[in-house]
Amino acid sequence: MRSFTHILLVVLSFVAISAAECAAKTVVVTAKPRFQHQGQFVDLIISDKNHSFNISWGMSPYLQFIPVSLETNRVYTFTVAQTTLRSFSIPELRKVKLDGRTIYDIEICEVHKTRMKHKVVRVAYGLIIPGPDEPSGVTERRLFPHRREISFGGCVSTPDSPKTERVYVCSECKKACDKWRSEHKKPQ
């Protein structure tokens, strides 16, 4: 049950809400990061005397949800938006600064270093199987992680499941994916 709850929170943590709602609930925490392993999941723990956040960080050993490296012996300034989805309160890491320099910003593509558009997209439910001409997940995360104008909502939907979500989309990621596809066309 704990694993299911953790998976649910991981999935829900990728659900974006409007920028206005995020801005209204933003908290800044200056602290050293800690990491907590719970089975195959890794959480980022950040806390100061007033706030404590447990943020889904990745799945061991290869998948990291937030594309920034943190050292546990360094002090960072974290900007966290406490978002609400239905009855869940989910911390969303929005920015990380080290020595006054931004090293992660949710609105900036980590590959192309360009500001992304926050778009409303359709949520697709069910088992999504990539086609044979699609890039691998590793390739997508490395070269064009913000190309999709769709959100995957998981295998199960209910009548009250969201039909749309807001996601960050990078125009340069879309161009990079198109280029990758043209270079990796399979012969007919």
Side-chain angles (χ1 to χ4, degrees):
M1 180 65 176
R2 183 175 185 180
S3 181
F4 173 76
T5 303
H6 202 96
I7 290 170
L8 177 63
L9 287 175
V10 168
V11 170
L12 294 176
S13 70
F14 286 106
V15 176
I17 63 170
S18 73
E21 287 179 290
C22 288
K25 300 175 184 176
T26 298
V27 174
V28 176
V29 176
T30 301
K32 290 181 180 180
R34 292 184 299 119
F35 294 95
Q36 179 178 350
H37 295 264
Q38 297 181 18
Q40 65 188 28
F41 296 97
V42 179
D43 290 342
L44 166 65
I45 312 297
I46 54 174
S47 60
D48 63 11
K49 63 182 180 176
N50 298 316
H51 303 93
S52 183
F53 297 102
N54 187 334
I55 299 169
S56 294
W57 185 256
M59 293 175 67
S60 292
Y62 304 111
L63 183 60
Q64 185 173 319
F65 303 140
I66 301 170
V68 65
S69 295
L70 302 175
E71 299 174 34
T72 56
N73 62 341
R74 309 269 323 246
V75 175
Y76 298 86
T77 302
F78 299 94
T79 303
V80 179
Q82 193 68 16
T83 62
T84 303
L85 177 66
R86 298 184 188 162
S87 61
F88 292 102
S89 182
I90 303 166
E92 177 184 54
L93 187 59
R94 310 250 336 133
K95 272 188 188 174
V96 179
K97 290 185 177 185
L98 176 62
D99 300 328
R101 184 176 55 87
T102 300
I103 60 171
Y104 169 74
D105 185 331
I106 196 170
E107 297 178 358
I108 304 296
C109 175
E110 65 273 15
V111 174
H112 299 103
K113 309 300 184 220
T114 57
R115 184 161 300 280
M116 297 183 284
K117 292 183 180 174
H118 206 198
K119 293 187 168 187
V120 175
V121 300
R122 179 178 67 86
V123 178
Y125 293 96
L127 179 59
I128 311 295
I129 299 174
D133 295 337
E134 289 292 311
S136 70
V138 171
T139 297
E140 184 169 344
R141 284 188 298 277
R142 187 172 50 85
L143 300 177
F144 32 83
H146 305 285
R147 72 175 174 106
R148 295 184 184 272
E149 290 197 36
I150 191 168
S151 179
F152 299 122
C155 292
V156 178
S157 68
T158 63
D160 65 334
S161 293
K163 306 293 184 251
T164 62
E165 290 179 352
R166 292 181 65 91
V167 299
Y168 287 98
V169 178
C170 173
S171 59
E172 295 302 313
C173 281
K174 292 173 73 149
K175 290 176 191 174
C177 183
D178 290 344
K179 182 177 185 238
W180 183 92
R181 281 192 173 124
S182 70
E183 293 171 352
H184 293 85
K185 281 188 178 178
K186 298 214 188 253
Q188 303 255 355

